[in-house]
Amino acid sequence: MTLPETLRIGLDVDGVLADYMSGIAGVGRVQGHPMHGRAAGPTTYGLVEPGWFPDTESASAAMAQLRDTGGLGRLQLLDPGAPAAVRKLRAAGHRVVVVTARGAQTRRDTVSWLRRHGIEADEVRFHAIKSEAGCHAYLDDAPHIVDELRGAGRFAFVYDAPYNRHVAGPRVSRIAEFAERLLDPAFDLSTFGCSQR
Ligand SMILES: [Mg+2]
């Protein structure tokens, strides 16, 4: 299957555009946990492991605190090449859709963060089930989200992180690399066994 001329391209926020793990490590440290930060893991998406959180309750509490105290608006840009990669995809005629599983109550923090960091997206969508955003191709770091997208017949690249190394399939470590792969004239979804619905 060849790609349509105009692609809808779904970009995740936390763990792809924004350095969520450093943000959550900062909250954990304030709560008295000996967080190692992004330099050493985490190796699990749930963050319950040595050097991170002792249990799911403390991990959930830290995530809620980061969200509810405006911390999501203060995260660092994870990939300095992201703004240029987004511009390149749009200049090629594609639509860039930021798709996040954050709750819609974070819309204001999320939109202002994107603007401040120069991410010029066409749309910002809030979906726990990301295939519902209707993109042809996605970039995401979360193993369960990549599974959901592929299960729904969507094409999903993995954004490389220590907690997703077990996930098979196409993987990039920079957003510019994702853009290059999509813009390659030889790129074909069927190479990856994806159907499009
Ligand atoms: Mg993510």
Side-chain angles (χ1 to χ4, degrees):
M1 180 199 290
T2 52
L3 291 165
E5 222 160 85
T6 299
L7 289 176
R8 280 175 66 80
I9 298 167
L11 275 186
D12 180 30
V13 179
D14 297 311
V16 173
L17 293 172
D19 188 358
Y20 185 84
M21 292 306 176
S22 293
I24 201 73
V27 175
R29 269 184 222 109
V30 170
Q31 293 179 343
H33 303 296
M35 312 300 288
H36 291 160
R38 196 157 59 85
T43 60
T44 55
Y45 189 73
L47 310 181
V48 178
E49 62 183 77
W52 286 78
F53 293 98
D55 48 50
T56 51
E57 290 73 23
S58 56
S60 299
M63 291 177 200
Q65 185 177 327
L66 186 68
R67 182 193 63 218
D68 298 338
T69 58
L72 296 175
R74 294 189 294 272
L75 298 180
Q76 298 296 306
L77 185 68
L78 183 56
D79 182 339
V86 168
R87 281 195 294 274
K88 191 171 173 184
L89 287 167
R90 295 182 73 214
H94 303 304
R95 275 186 85 74
V96 173
V97 184
V98 167
V99 189
T100 179
R102 292 176 176 183
Q105 76 270 31
T106 70
R107 175 175 288 277
R108 204 170 65 172
D109 280 347
T110 302
V111 169
S112 65
W113 186 92
L114 291 166
R115 191 177 301 130
R116 197 160 63 253
H117 290 282
I119 308 291
E120 297 160 357
D122 293 287
E123 298 171 41
V124 182
R125 302 281 296 265
F126 294 81
H127 290 280
I129 309 294
K130 291 196 177 182
S131 59
E132 291 174 355
C135 296
H136 298 96
Y138 292 79
L139 179 59
D140 213 286
D141 65 311
H144 67 288
I145 287 175
V146 170
D147 282 351
E148 185 276 317
L149 290 168
R150 291 177 179 169
R154 304 296 180 183
F155 176 75
F157 268 100
V158 179
Y159 191 83
D160 185 59
Y163 48 84
N164 63 32
R165 301 260 159 84
H166 61 288
V167 180
R171 163 182 302 270
V172 295
S173 52
R174 291 179 304 113
I175 297 171
E177 191 184 344
F178 174 64
E180 281 161 24
R181 297 277 292 274
L182 290 180
L183 295 176
D184 181 344
F187 183 74
D188 186 330
L189 290 174
S190 63
T191 310
F192 302 97
C194 290
S195 63
Q196 289 293 304
R197 296 174 191 166

